[in-house]
Amino acid sequence: MYQLESADKYPKTALRLRVRQITYQGIGINAYEFVPEDGGELPEFTAGAHIDLYFRDGRVRQYSLCNDPQERRRYLIAVLREHNGRGGSIAIHERVHTQRLVAVGRPRNNFPLVETAPYYLLLAGGIGITPLKAMVHRLEKLGADYVLHYCAKSRAHAAFHEEFEPLVATGRVVMHYDGGHPANGLDIAALLRRYEPGWQLNYCGPQGFMAACARACTHWPAEAVHCEYFVGAPVVSAEEVPDVGSEALALGFQLKIASTGEVLTVPNDKSIAQVLGEHGIEIPMSCQSGLCGTCKVRYFSGEVDHRDYVLNAEARTQFLTTCVSRSHGALLVLDL
C-alpha cells in the first residue's frame, strides 16, 4: 500500500506543502491545491512543467501543474483514479485530505511551450488536459493564436470543463465526446493533415491517443511537434528479446565505467540503474519509466537503444536514461 510522505519525513530538496483544497473535476478526477505553510511564494514554473510527489516507500510519481504559471502562491494538479495503474493515483484519492502536509519536488519541465509561434494546435486526451491547461493560460496571456481540442468520453469525464466554457464559446477550445469509442470522436488524422511553417503541435493523453497523434503528424517537422507521455513503454519479456546472434547480447550487455575501467554486466531482467546501484553507483531516480530524465547520464561510446520519452534527438547523441535505455551492441561506455 502506498503511503504519502508526511511532515516528519521527506527529501531534503523537496517542498513541504499543505493541501488547501480538493475539488471534484469529473468522474474519477480530483484536483489538488498545494500551498506553502508560511503563505509565501512558491518556486516559479513554466507551462508544461510537472512536480514530483514523494511516497514513503521511496517511490515518486509525476503530476503536471495545470494552473496559471503566473501564480506563485499555489500549485494545482489533477489526478485520475487509475484502477489498473501502479497504485499512486489510488493512494492520492484515498489518503490525501485537506490540511495534510505532503512532500513535493520543485517544478521541472520536459514539455516546454515554444512561445514565438504564429499558431498553436493543442490536443488533449482525457487527463492529458493537465499540462495543456497551463499552456492555455500562458497562451491567453501572450495573446497567441491557438486552438485546443479536448477529447473525453463525456462532459462528465472532462476535467475543468466549466472553466473552459468561456473559451469554448470563442472557439479557442473545442470539446469532443466519443462515448468511450474513439472512432466516434475527433478525427486526428484529418486535423493534422495540414501543416503551415512555424506552427506548433502539443499533445498529451493515454497511449492509444498518443499513438494516433504520432501517426498523424509524421509529415510535421520534428521541431514543430511536442508531446508528453504519462506511462512508459511496456517491459519487454525475456521471450521477446531478439536473437542477435551474440552470446553476450543474449545474456544482456556490458557497461564500462570510464573513470575506473570497471566493466559491469546488465542482464535482460535488470535496468542500467539497478546494476549501477548494486555496484555502489547511485543514480538519482524518479519516474523509472523514461518519462522525466532525472536518471540521465552521459555516454562516450556504444549504440544506445533509447526507450525514453523525454530526450530529443540531439540529447540522445550524448545522454541515455539509465532507467529504461538498453544497448544494441555489446558494450556501452558511461561518463561515470
Side-chain angles (χ1 to χ4, degrees):
M1 177 65 70
Y2 281 72
Q3 286 187 316
L4 287 168
E5 290 287 4
S6 58
D8 60 343
K9 179 183 178 183
Y10 58 94
K12 293 180 180 179
T13 58
L15 305 167
R16 190 168 75 168
L17 305 181
R18 190 175 298 281
V19 181
R20 181 167 67 179
Q21 186 172 224
I22 301 173
T23 57
Y24 172 80
Q25 289 294 338
I27 295 176
I29 304 172
N30 285 343
Y32 298 84
E33 183 185 57
F34 304 134
V35 297
E37 285 188 275
D38 61 5
E41 291 192 342
L42 290 165
E44 64 182 346
F45 70 95
T46 53
H50 69 270
I51 54 173
D52 295 328
L53 198 59
Y54 294 93
F55 292 81
R56 188 169 296 167
D57 65 0
R59 300 195 187 193
V60 187
R61 293 292 177 263
Q62 289 75 40
Y63 295 97
S64 296
L65 291 167
C66 52
N67 53 309
D68 188 336
Q70 285 195 337
E71 296 178 342
R72 296 295 302 276
R73 296 184 181 275
R74 69 168 188 154
Y75 290 153
L76 184 71
I77 65 171
V79 181
L80 171 66
R81 184 179 178 122
E82 292 275 11
H83 294 284
N84 297 319
R86 295 178 292 171
S89 67
I90 292 177
I92 292 173
H93 274 254
E94 293 183 349
R95 295 175 176 270
V96 173
H97 50 77
T98 56
Q99 302 184 49
R100 179 164 187 173
L101 291 172
V102 294
V104 172
R106 294 173 181 269
R108 293 181 293 148
N109 200 339
N110 297 320
F111 188 32
L113 179 68
V114 175
E115 297 191 348
T116 57
Y119 179 71
Y120 298 84
L121 195 54
L122 311 178
L123 276 67
I127 197 62
I129 188 61
T130 50
L132 298 181
K133 179 176 176 294
M135 291 184 182
V136 167
H137 286 296
R138 180 58 180 161
L139 291 173
E140 282 289 312
K141 292 292 191 303
L142 293 173
D145 189 9
Y146 74 92
V147 174
L148 164 67
H149 291 268
Y150 185 0
C151 304
K153 184 177 180 180
S154 70
R155 187 177 188 275
H157 291 82
F160 306 107
H161 58 80
E162 292 181 355
E163 190 173 342
F164 282 127
E165 284 179 355
L167 295 174
V168 170
T170 65
R172 288 297 190 192
V173 174
V174 182
M175 307 298 296
H176 303 270
Y177 302 131
D178 62 17
H181 304 284
N184 297 330
L186 173 66
D187 187 340
I188 296 173
L191 177 67
L192 298 184
R193 192 167 293 134
R194 180 188 175 193
Y195 167 76
E196 297 291 342
W199 283 14
Q200 290 286 305
L201 170 65
N202 294 267
Y203 64 91
C204 185
Q207 285 186 320
F209 177 86
M210 299 296 283
C213 291
R215 288 193 301 268
C217 69
T218 55
H219 58 291
W220 286 55
E223 64 271 16
V225 179
H226 313 275
C227 62
E228 183 166 69
Y229 288 78
F230 283 155
V231 294
V235 176
V236 177
S237 66
E239 291 76 16
E240 296 175 298
V241 175
D243 180 6
V244 294
S246 165
E247 181 179 354
L249 280 178
L251 298 175
F253 58 93
Q254 292 186 315
L255 301 174
K256 183 175 182 180
I257 309 304
S259 62
T260 64
E262 183 179 12
V263 176
L264 312 174
T265 297
V266 182
N268 288 319
D269 62 349
K270 291 185 178 181
S271 68
I272 293 175
Q274 284 177 295
V275 171
L276 291 173
E278 290 171 357
H279 289 81
I281 304 173
E282 296 297 332
I283 302 295
M285 299 291 291
S286 184
C287 73
Q288 301 184 51
S289 302
L291 299 170
C292 69
T294 300
C295 67
K296 73 176 182 180
V297 300
R298 188 184 300 273
Y299 67 95
F300 288 138
S301 64
E303 187 179 357
V304 179
D305 177 8
H306 294 283
R307 301 184 181 183
D308 66 275
Y309 293 91
V310 66
L311 300 181
N312 60 29
E314 181 179 357
R316 287 182 171 187
T317 64
Q318 303 179 62
F319 297 94
L320 58 82
T321 52
T322 58
C323 65
V324 294
S325 293
R326 309 298 293 176
S327 178
H328 287 302
L331 179 69
L332 293 177
V333 180
L334 303 185
D335 182 16
L336 292 172

